[in-house]
Amino acid sequence: MKIRKVTAGLLVAGIALSACGREGSPAGETGGEGADLSYEVAENVEVEGSPTFEKMQQNGGPVIGVKDDQPGLGYKSGATNEYSGFDVEIARLVAAKLGFDPEELGDNQYRAVPSAGREQAIMNGDVDYYVGTYTINDERKNQISFAGPYYEAGQGLLVAEDNNDINGKDDLAGKKVCSVTGSTPVERVREEGLVEPGGEIVELQQYSQCIAQLNQGQVDAVTTDDAILLGYAAEDPENLKVVGETFSEEPYGIGLPKDDDALRDKVNDILQEAMEDGTWQEIYDATLGKSGTEAEMPELDRY
Ligand code: GLU
């Protein structure tokens, strides 16, 4: 946790610096746009016994579930319509190693799905896989499966720059705190009664909506993973700051249809190779780690 906090602070500083150069398009700076990452597209890929892979082949490529409003992780630029960020790059890498050229992925092959809709989108087959700040946990494993983890985040707090009374989760009593429906952070705030007594949890569909409420002074804090909050703070360092220690572990996984073990094995192999051959590091450095700071590569959990 300590290490993460130090890294996080530097990350904000670094992104904030780089965001200064290009006003009006800060998301590009945090999102890895223009990072020119490219992945060798695998040939003659077979994933024996995977109905999802078969479907991707029949359709000429995957449909990938992502976030589109989380700078640095999964972000769609209004100006260019391009997706960028750490999660998006992981999604592209997986596509390439499954044999589908990520450069040829059309707009309709990315589907923005908010936190509350993820399990259903995977179960319905609306997306073939999902990469978007998706915490691996047992409850979700009842409905879908996960490859990974490919990143470890932790729950944190974002407040207005001039707020001096919230410095950690124990300061939330009586406050109005915003988070997103269907997310692990909102559940934690509720289960631990963090805003009690007298506070209020404001639950919205997307983190960008919480940011808008924070900017308008309608809520006192936004809570979710530090990686997400740091992306927003970096876009608006004069008005927003991330405070306190992280207070959970959020291992990010790639969401997959529950019974497709063959695909899960394959995606885990892809992640493992990327962690071993430097690709993971390249992706990290070009997106979340743009400031030159380091993050730990997690151990895969092949359950
Ligand atoms: N990682 C957390 C989750 O999966 C929070 C981020 C999100 O809502 O995507 O619930």
Side-chain angles (χ1 to χ4, degrees), residues 268-300:
N268 274 328
D269 289 346
I270 292 169
L271 291 175
Q272 180 152 7
E273 196 185 322
M275 290 186 199
E276 283 168 5
D277 73 5
T279 307
W280 184 98
Q281 194 64 53
E282 246 175 80
I283 293 175
Y284 179 81
D285 290 346
T287 55
L288 284 180
K290 260 196 161 168
S291 59
T293 53
E294 286 169 28
E296 278 170 56
M297 262 181 247
E299 289 261 319
L300 287 177

PDB file of all heavy atoms in Angstrom, residues 268-300:
ATOM      1  N   ASN A 268      -4.885 -15.956 -20.404  1.00  0.00           N
ATOM      2  CA  ASN A 268      -3.849 -15.964 -19.359  1.00  0.00           C
ATOM      3  C   ASN A 268      -2.455 -16.180 -19.962  1.00  0.00           C
ATOM      4  O   ASN A 268      -1.492 -15.542 -19.541  1.00  0.00           O
ATOM      5  CB  ASN A 268      -4.148 -17.039 -18.308  1.00  0.00           C
ATOM      6  CG  ASN A 268      -5.095 -16.526 -17.230  1.00  0.00           C
ATOM      7  OD1 ASN A 268      -5.086 -15.335 -16.894  1.00  0.00           O
ATOM      8  ND2 ASN A 268      -5.918 -17.407 -16.690  1.00  0.00           N
ATOM      9  N   ASP A 269      -2.378 -17.064 -20.956  1.00  0.00           N
ATOM     10  CA  ASP A 269      -1.080 -17.269 -21.642  1.00  0.00           C
ATOM     11  C   ASP A 269      -0.614 -15.968 -22.296  1.00  0.00           C
ATOM     12  O   ASP A 269       0.574 -15.624 -22.248  1.00  0.00           O
ATOM     13  CB  ASP A 269      -1.201 -18.357 -22.722  1.00  0.00           C
ATOM     14  CG  ASP A 269      -1.371 -19.752 -22.128  1.00  0.00           C
ATOM     15  OD1 ASP A 269      -1.123 -19.925 -20.907  1.00  0.00           O
ATOM     16  OD2 ASP A 269      -1.755 -20.672 -22.889  1.00  0.00           O
ATOM     17  N   ILE A 270      -1.553 -15.270 -22.915  1.00  0.00           N
ATOM     18  CA  ILE A 270      -1.221 -14.003 -23.589  1.00  0.00           C
ATOM     19  C   ILE A 270      -0.697 -12.988 -22.566  1.00  0.00           C
ATOM     20  O   ILE A 270       0.318 -12.322 -22.791  1.00  0.00           O
ATOM     21  CB  ILE A 270      -2.462 -13.448 -24.336  1.00  0.00           C
ATOM     22  CG1 ILE A 270      -2.831 -14.356 -25.515  1.00  0.00           C
ATOM     23  CG2 ILE A 270      -2.234 -12.005 -24.791  1.00  0.00           C
ATOM     24  CD1 ILE A 270      -4.183 -14.058 -26.152  1.00  0.00           C
ATOM     25  N   LEU A 271      -1.386 -12.902 -21.426  1.00  0.00           N
ATOM     26  CA  LEU A 271      -0.960 -11.948 -20.391  1.00  0.00           C
ATOM     27  C   LEU A 271       0.402 -12.325 -19.837  1.00  0.00           C
ATOM     28  O   LEU A 271       1.273 -11.483 -19.624  1.00  0.00           O
ATOM     29  CB  LEU A 271      -1.998 -11.897 -19.259  1.00  0.00           C
ATOM     30  CG  LEU A 271      -3.350 -11.269 -19.614  1.00  0.00           C
ATOM     31  CD1 LEU A 271      -4.323 -11.408 -18.438  1.00  0.00           C
ATOM     32  CD2 LEU A 271      -3.208  -9.797 -19.994  1.00  0.00           C
ATOM     33  N   GLN A 272       0.582 -13.615 -19.606  1.00  0.00           N
ATOM     34  CA  GLN A 272       1.853 -14.074 -19.052  1.00  0.00           C
ATOM     35  C   GLN A 272       3.018 -13.732 -19.979  1.00  0.00           C
ATOM     36  O   GLN A 272       4.049 -13.219 -19.549  1.00  0.00           O
ATOM     37  CB  GLN A 272       1.793 -15.587 -18.823  1.00  0.00           C
ATOM     38  CG  GLN A 272       3.096 -16.106 -18.247  1.00  0.00           C
ATOM     39  CD  GLN A 272       2.885 -17.359 -17.408  1.00  0.00           C
ATOM     40  OE1 GLN A 272       1.784 -17.916 -17.349  1.00  0.00           O
ATOM     41  NE2 GLN A 272       3.940 -17.800 -16.771  1.00  0.00           N
ATOM     42  N   GLU A 273       2.802 -13.994 -21.252  1.00  0.00           N
ATOM     43  CA  GLU A 273       3.856 -13.690 -22.219  1.00  0.00           C
ATOM     44  C   GLU A 273       4.153 -12.185 -22.220  1.00  0.00           C
ATOM     45  O   GLU A 273       5.319 -11.771 -22.240  1.00  0.00           O
ATOM     46  CB  GLU A 273       3.427 -14.163 -23.608  1.00  0.00           C
ATOM     47  CG  GLU A 273       4.584 -14.234 -24.570  1.00  0.00           C
ATOM     48  CD  GLU A 273       4.138 -14.578 -25.981  1.00  0.00           C
ATOM     49  OE1 GLU A 273       3.219 -15.410 -26.134  1.00  0.00           O
ATOM     50  OE2 GLU A 273       4.712 -13.996 -26.920  1.00  0.00           O
ATOM     51  N   ALA A 274       3.093 -11.388 -22.168  1.00  0.00           N
ATOM     52  CA  ALA A 274       3.281  -9.926 -22.203  1.00  0.00           C
ATOM     53  C   ALA A 274       4.032  -9.434 -20.968  1.00  0.00           C
ATOM     54  O   ALA A 274       4.805  -8.477 -21.032  1.00  0.00           O
ATOM     55  CB  ALA A 274       1.927  -9.235 -22.312  1.00  0.00           C
ATOM     56  N   MET A 275       3.802 -10.101 -19.848  1.00  0.00           N
ATOM     57  CA  MET A 275       4.515  -9.700 -18.637  1.00  0.00           C
ATOM     58  C   MET A 275       5.975 -10.130 -18.700  1.00  0.00           C
ATOM     59  O   MET A 275       6.856  -9.468 -18.164  1.00  0.00           O
ATOM     60  CB  MET A 275       3.842 -10.305 -17.401  1.00  0.00           C
ATOM     61  CG  MET A 275       2.474  -9.688 -17.110  1.00  0.00           C
ATOM     62  SD  MET A 275       1.791 -10.301 -15.562  1.00  0.00           S
ATOM     63  CE  MET A 275       0.053  -9.910 -15.752  1.00  0.00           C
ATOM     64  N   GLU A 276       6.226 -11.238 -19.385  1.00  0.00           N
ATOM     65  CA  GLU A 276       7.594 -11.749 -19.439  1.00  0.00           C
ATOM     66  C   GLU A 276       8.443 -11.095 -20.529  1.00  0.00           C
ATOM     67  O   GLU A 276       9.643 -10.939 -20.359  1.00  0.00           O
ATOM     68  CB  GLU A 276       7.568 -13.272 -19.637  1.00  0.00           C
ATOM     69  CG  GLU A 276       7.217 -13.980 -18.335  1.00  0.00           C
ATOM     70  CD  GLU A 276       6.886 -15.470 -18.505  1.00  0.00           C
ATOM     71  OE1 GLU A 276       7.011 -16.002 -19.630  1.00  0.00           O
ATOM     72  OE2 GLU A 276       6.489 -16.083 -17.506  1.00  0.00           O
ATOM     73  N   ASP A 277       7.803 -10.715 -21.626  1.00  0.00           N
ATOM     74  CA  ASP A 277       8.634 -10.222 -22.752  1.00  0.00           C
ATOM     75  C   ASP A 277       8.718  -8.695 -22.828  1.00  0.00           C
ATOM     76  O   ASP A 277       9.259  -8.147 -23.786  1.00  0.00           O
ATOM     77  CB  ASP A 277       8.139 -10.804 -24.087  1.00  0.00           C
ATOM     78  CG  ASP A 277       6.823 -10.197 -24.551  1.00  0.00           C
ATOM     79  OD1 ASP A 277       6.312  -9.250 -23.905  1.00  0.00           O
ATOM     80  OD2 ASP A 277       6.290 -10.667 -25.574  1.00  0.00           O
ATOM     81  N   GLY A 278       8.179  -8.025 -21.806  1.00  0.00           N
ATOM     82  CA  GLY A 278       8.324  -6.567 -21.779  1.00  0.00           C
ATOM     83  C   GLY A 278       7.154  -5.796 -22.371  1.00  0.00           C
ATOM     84  O   GLY A 278       7.104  -4.572 -22.269  1.00  0.00           O
ATOM     85  N   THR A 279       6.219  -6.503 -22.992  1.00  0.00           N
ATOM     86  CA  THR A 279       5.081  -5.798 -23.615  1.00  0.00           C
ATOM     87  C   THR A 279       4.204  -5.114 -22.579  1.00  0.00           C
ATOM     88  O   THR A 279       3.770  -3.976 -22.764  1.00  0.00           O
ATOM     89  CB  THR A 279       4.224  -6.790 -24.444  1.00  0.00           C
ATOM     90  OG1 THR A 279       5.069  -7.488 -25.346  1.00  0.00           O
ATOM     91  CG2 THR A 279       3.145  -6.059 -25.207  1.00  0.00           C
ATOM     92  N   TRP A 280       3.956  -5.810 -21.469  1.00  0.00           N
ATOM     93  CA  TRP A 280       3.142  -5.217 -20.389  1.00  0.00           C
ATOM     94  C   TRP A 280       3.774  -3.902 -19.948  1.00  0.00           C
ATOM     95  O   TRP A 280       3.113  -2.884 -19.799  1.00  0.00           O
ATOM     96  CB  TRP A 280       3.047  -6.195 -19.215  1.00  0.00           C
ATOM     97  CG  TRP A 280       2.167  -5.748 -18.085  1.00  0.00           C
ATOM     98  CD1 TRP A 280       0.865  -6.120 -17.877  1.00  0.00           C
ATOM     99  CD2 TRP A 280       2.504  -4.859 -17.002  1.00  0.00           C
ATOM    100  NE1 TRP A 280       0.376  -5.512 -16.735  1.00  0.00           N
ATOM    101  CE2 TRP A 280       1.360  -4.729 -16.185  1.00  0.00           C
ATOM    102  CE3 TRP A 280       3.659  -4.162 -16.659  1.00  0.00           C
ATOM    103  CZ2 TRP A 280       1.338  -3.944 -15.032  1.00  0.00           C
ATOM    104  CZ3 TRP A 280       3.644  -3.352 -15.515  1.00  0.00           C
ATOM    105  CH2 TRP A 280       2.486  -3.252 -14.725  1.00  0.00           C
ATOM    106  N   GLN A 281       5.075  -3.947 -19.751  1.00  0.00           N
ATOM    107  CA  GLN A 281       5.797  -2.751 -19.283  1.00  0.00           C
ATOM    108  C   GLN A 281       5.696  -1.619 -20.294  1.00  0.00           C
ATOM    109  O   GLN A 281       5.477  -0.463 -19.926  1.00  0.00           O
ATOM    110  CB  GLN A 281       7.260  -3.121 -19.040  1.00  0.00           C
ATOM    111  CG  GLN A 281       8.020  -2.081 -18.238  1.00  0.00           C
ATOM    112  CD  GLN A 281       7.452  -1.929 -16.822  1.00  0.00           C
ATOM    113  OE1 GLN A 281       7.316  -2.904 -16.100  1.00  0.00           O
ATOM    114  NE2 GLN A 281       7.106  -0.698 -16.439  1.00  0.00           N
ATOM    115  N   GLU A 282       5.819  -1.979 -21.564  1.00  0.00           N
ATOM    116  CA  GLU A 282       5.702  -0.970 -22.625  1.00  0.00           C
ATOM    117  C   GLU A 282       4.325  -0.309 -22.598  1.00  0.00           C
ATOM    118  O   GLU A 282       4.202   0.905 -22.729  1.00  0.00           O
ATOM    119  CB  GLU A 282       5.849  -1.664 -23.983  1.00  0.00           C
ATOM    120  CG  GLU A 282       7.061  -1.279 -24.765  1.00  0.00           C
ATOM    121  CD  GLU A 282       7.141  -2.142 -26.019  1.00  0.00           C
ATOM    122  OE1 GLU A 282       6.435  -1.848 -26.987  1.00  0.00           O
ATOM    123  OE2 GLU A 282       7.887  -3.149 -25.992  1.00  0.00           O
ATOM    124  N   ILE A 283       3.310  -1.127 -22.430  1.00  0.00           N
ATOM    125  CA  ILE A 283       1.940  -0.602 -22.381  1.00  0.00           C
ATOM    126  C   ILE A 283       1.780   0.297 -21.168  1.00  0.00           C
ATOM    127  O   ILE A 283       1.251   1.409 -21.255  1.00  0.00           O
ATOM    128  CB  ILE A 283       0.918  -1.766 -22.333  1.00  0.00           C
ATOM    129  CG1 ILE A 283       0.933  -2.535 -23.648  1.00  0.00           C
ATOM    130  CG2 ILE A 283      -0.486  -1.234 -22.023  1.00  0.00           C
ATOM    131  CD1 ILE A 283       0.032  -3.768 -23.641  1.00  0.00           C
ATOM    132  N   TYR A 284       2.260  -0.168 -20.030  1.00  0.00           N
ATOM    133  CA  TYR A 284       2.154   0.622 -18.800  1.00  0.00           C
ATOM    134  C   TYR A 284       2.871   1.958 -18.967  1.00  0.00           C
ATOM    135  O   TYR A 284       2.326   3.022 -18.661  1.00  0.00           O
ATOM    136  CB  TYR A 284       2.729  -0.162 -17.608  1.00  0.00           C
ATOM    137  CG  TYR A 284       2.654   0.642 -16.339  1.00  0.00           C
ATOM    138  CD1 TYR A 284       1.463   0.704 -15.616  1.00  0.00           C
ATOM    139  CD2 TYR A 284       3.741   1.389 -15.907  1.00  0.00           C
ATOM    140  CE1 TYR A 284       1.371   1.487 -14.477  1.00  0.00           C
ATOM    141  CE2 TYR A 284       3.654   2.174 -14.774  1.00  0.00           C
ATOM    142  CZ  TYR A 284       2.472   2.221 -14.058  1.00  0.00           C
ATOM    143  OH  TYR A 284       2.383   3.010 -12.946  1.00  0.00           O
ATOM    144  N   ASP A 285       4.101   1.892 -19.472  1.00  0.00           N
ATOM    145  CA  ASP A 285       4.905   3.114 -19.611  1.00  0.00           C
ATOM    146  C   ASP A 285       4.234   4.130 -20.543  1.00  0.00           C
ATOM    147  O   ASP A 285       4.370   5.332 -20.358  1.00  0.00           O
ATOM    148  CB  ASP A 285       6.305   2.776 -20.145  1.00  0.00           C
ATOM    149  CG  ASP A 285       7.144   2.033 -19.114  1.00  0.00           C
ATOM    150  OD1 ASP A 285       6.771   2.014 -17.923  1.00  0.00           O
ATOM    151  OD2 ASP A 285       8.174   1.442 -19.505  1.00  0.00           O
ATOM    152  N   ALA A 286       3.523   3.619 -21.541  1.00  0.00           N
ATOM    153  CA  ALA A 286       2.914   4.517 -22.535  1.00  0.00           C
ATOM    154  C   ALA A 286       1.554   5.055 -22.082  1.00  0.00           C
ATOM    155  O   ALA A 286       0.993   5.937 -22.727  1.00  0.00           O
ATOM    156  CB  ALA A 286       2.757   3.777 -23.856  1.00  0.00           C
ATOM    157  N   THR A 287       1.037   4.514 -20.984  1.00  0.00           N
ATOM    158  CA  THR A 287      -0.310   4.936 -20.558  1.00  0.00           C
ATOM    159  C   THR A 287      -0.263   5.408 -19.105  1.00  0.00           C
ATOM    160  O   THR A 287       0.125   6.523 -18.840  1.00  0.00           O
ATOM    161  CB  THR A 287      -1.324   3.784 -20.758  1.00  0.00           C
ATOM    162  OG1 THR A 287      -0.866   2.611 -20.082  1.00  0.00           O
ATOM    163  CG2 THR A 287      -1.507   3.478 -22.231  1.00  0.00           C
ATOM    164  N   LEU A 288      -0.606   4.538 -18.183  1.00  0.00           N
ATOM    165  CA  LEU A 288      -0.671   4.925 -16.771  1.00  0.00           C
ATOM    166  C   LEU A 288       0.662   5.431 -16.232  1.00  0.00           C
ATOM    167  O   LEU A 288       0.709   6.299 -15.376  1.00  0.00           O
ATOM    168  CB  LEU A 288      -1.097   3.720 -15.920  1.00  0.00           C
ATOM    169  CG  LEU A 288      -2.558   3.320 -15.949  1.00  0.00           C
ATOM    170  CD1 LEU A 288      -2.771   2.109 -15.051  1.00  0.00           C
ATOM    171  CD2 LEU A 288      -3.440   4.476 -15.491  1.00  0.00           C
ATOM    172  N   GLY A 289       1.740   4.869 -16.722  1.00  0.00           N
ATOM    173  CA  GLY A 289       3.049   5.180 -16.152  1.00  0.00           C
ATOM    174  C   GLY A 289       3.800   6.254 -16.906  1.00  0.00           C
ATOM    175  O   GLY A 289       5.019   6.321 -16.838  1.00  0.00           O
ATOM    176  N   LYS A 290       3.086   7.113 -17.599  1.00  0.00           N
ATOM    177  CA  LYS A 290       3.756   8.096 -18.459  1.00  0.00           C
ATOM    178  C   LYS A 290       4.773   8.970 -17.737  1.00  0.00           C
ATOM    179  O   LYS A 290       5.658   9.532 -18.354  1.00  0.00           O
ATOM    180  CB  LYS A 290       2.729   8.985 -19.152  1.00  0.00           C
ATOM    181  CG  LYS A 290       2.496   8.544 -20.573  1.00  0.00           C
ATOM    182  CD  LYS A 290       1.802   9.618 -21.370  1.00  0.00           C
ATOM    183  CE  LYS A 290       1.986   9.363 -22.851  1.00  0.00           C
ATOM    184  NZ  LYS A 290       1.119  10.201 -23.656  1.00  0.00           N
ATOM    185  N   SER A 291       4.620   9.056 -16.432  1.00  0.00           N
ATOM    186  CA  SER A 291       5.559   9.889 -15.688  1.00  0.00           C
ATOM    187  C   SER A 291       6.893   9.188 -15.469  1.00  0.00           C
ATOM    188  O   SER A 291       7.814   9.777 -14.931  1.00  0.00           O
ATOM    189  CB  SER A 291       4.953  10.215 -14.336  1.00  0.00           C
ATOM    190  OG  SER A 291       4.689   9.012 -13.658  1.00  0.00           O
ATOM    191  N   GLY A 292       6.996   7.931 -15.859  1.00  0.00           N
ATOM    192  CA  GLY A 292       8.245   7.216 -15.664  1.00  0.00           C
ATOM    193  C   GLY A 292       8.297   6.461 -14.348  1.00  0.00           C
ATOM    194  O   GLY A 292       9.326   5.914 -13.984  1.00  0.00           O
ATOM    195  N   THR A 293       7.177   6.434 -13.621  1.00  0.00           N
ATOM    196  CA  THR A 293       7.148   5.687 -12.359  1.00  0.00           C
ATOM    197  C   THR A 293       6.862   4.210 -12.630  1.00  0.00           C
ATOM    198  O   THR A 293       6.554   3.820 -13.751  1.00  0.00           O
ATOM    199  CB  THR A 293       6.059   6.234 -11.423  1.00  0.00           C
ATOM    200  OG1 THR A 293       4.834   6.241 -12.140  1.00  0.00           O
ATOM    201  CG2 THR A 293       6.404   7.621 -10.960  1.00  0.00           C
ATOM    202  N   GLU A 294       6.985   3.442 -11.571  1.00  0.00           N
ATOM    203  CA  GLU A 294       6.868   1.998 -11.747  1.00  0.00           C
ATOM    204  C   GLU A 294       5.639   1.427 -11.067  1.00  0.00           C
ATOM    205  O   GLU A 294       5.232   1.911 -10.019  1.00  0.00           O
ATOM    206  CB  GLU A 294       8.111   1.314 -11.172  1.00  0.00           C
ATOM    207  CG  GLU A 294       9.315   1.512 -12.056  1.00  0.00           C
ATOM    208  CD  GLU A 294      10.594   1.085 -11.389  1.00  0.00           C
ATOM    209  OE1 GLU A 294      10.534   0.186 -10.525  1.00  0.00           O
ATOM    210  OE2 GLU A 294      11.642   1.652 -11.740  1.00  0.00           O
ATOM    211  N   ALA A 295       5.080   0.390 -11.650  1.00  0.00           N
ATOM    212  CA  ALA A 295       4.012  -0.356 -10.992  1.00  0.00           C
ATOM    213  C   ALA A 295       4.416  -1.808 -10.962  1.00  0.00           C
ATOM    214  O   ALA A 295       5.169  -2.273 -11.808  1.00  0.00           O
ATOM    215  CB  ALA A 295       2.702  -0.206 -11.756  1.00  0.00           C
ATOM    216  N   GLU A 296       3.920  -2.508  -9.957  1.00  0.00           N
ATOM    217  CA  GLU A 296       4.258  -3.923  -9.877  1.00  0.00           C
ATOM    218  C   GLU A 296       3.398  -4.720 -10.841  1.00  0.00           C
ATOM    219  O   GLU A 296       2.207  -4.497 -10.954  1.00  0.00           O
ATOM    220  CB  GLU A 296       3.981  -4.436  -8.457  1.00  0.00           C
ATOM    221  CG  GLU A 296       5.091  -4.131  -7.495  1.00  0.00           C
ATOM    222  CD  GLU A 296       4.665  -4.446  -6.077  1.00  0.00           C
ATOM    223  OE1 GLU A 296       4.274  -5.592  -5.823  1.00  0.00           O
ATOM    224  OE2 GLU A 296       4.719  -3.513  -5.254  1.00  0.00           O
ATOM    225  N   MET A 297       4.015  -5.689 -11.486  1.00  0.00           N
ATOM    226  CA  MET A 297       3.236  -6.624 -12.295  1.00  0.00           C
ATOM    227  C   MET A 297       2.652  -7.677 -11.384  1.00  0.00           C
ATOM    228  O   MET A 297       3.388  -8.267 -10.596  1.00  0.00           O
ATOM    229  CB  MET A 297       4.184  -7.333 -13.256  1.00  0.00           C
ATOM    230  CG  MET A 297       4.227  -6.757 -14.625  1.00  0.00           C
ATOM    231  SD  MET A 297       5.365  -7.727 -15.607  1.00  0.00           S
ATOM    232  CE  MET A 297       6.626  -6.529 -15.878  1.00  0.00           C
ATOM    233  N   PRO A 298       1.361  -7.904 -11.459  1.00  0.00           N
ATOM    234  CA  PRO A 298       0.791  -8.905 -10.555  1.00  0.00           C
ATOM    235  C   PRO A 298       1.072 -10.332 -11.014  1.00  0.00           C
ATOM    236  O   PRO A 298       1.455 -10.556 -12.156  1.00  0.00           O
ATOM    237  CB  PRO A 298      -0.700  -8.612 -10.614  1.00  0.00           C
ATOM    238  CG  PRO A 298      -0.924  -7.937 -11.905  1.00  0.00           C
ATOM    239  CD  PRO A 298       0.349  -7.252 -12.289  1.00  0.00           C
ATOM    240  N   GLU A 299       0.867 -11.249 -10.088  1.00  0.00           N
ATOM    241  CA  GLU A 299       0.961 -12.683 -10.427  1.00  0.00           C
ATOM    242  C   GLU A 299      -0.363 -13.128 -11.002  1.00  0.00           C
ATOM    243  O   GLU A 299      -1.431 -12.826 -10.430  1.00  0.00           O
ATOM    244  CB  GLU A 299       1.164 -13.496  -9.142  1.00  0.00           C
ATOM    245  CG  GLU A 299       2.499 -13.340  -8.506  1.00  0.00           C
ATOM    246  CD  GLU A 299       3.418 -14.502  -8.865  1.00  0.00           C
ATOM    247  OE1 GLU A 299       2.927 -15.658  -8.885  1.00  0.00           O
ATOM    248  OE2 GLU A 299       4.596 -14.222  -9.139  1.00  0.00           O
ATOM    249  N   LEU A 300      -0.340 -13.884 -12.074  1.00  0.00           N
ATOM    250  CA  LEU A 300      -1.596 -14.411 -12.614  1.00  0.00           C
ATOM    251  C   LEU A 300      -2.205 -15.410 -11.636  1.00  0.00           C
ATOM    252  O   LEU A 300      -1.485 -16.107 -10.927  1.00  0.00           O
ATOM    253  CB  LEU A 300      -1.327 -15.130 -13.932  1.00  0.00           C
ATOM    254  CG  LEU A 300      -1.001 -14.248 -15.134  1.00  0.00           C
ATOM    255  CD1 LEU A 300      -0.686 -15.128 -16.321  1.00  0.00           C
ATOM    256  CD2 LEU A 300      -2.145 -13.312 -15.450  1.00  0.00           C
TER     257      LEU A 300
END
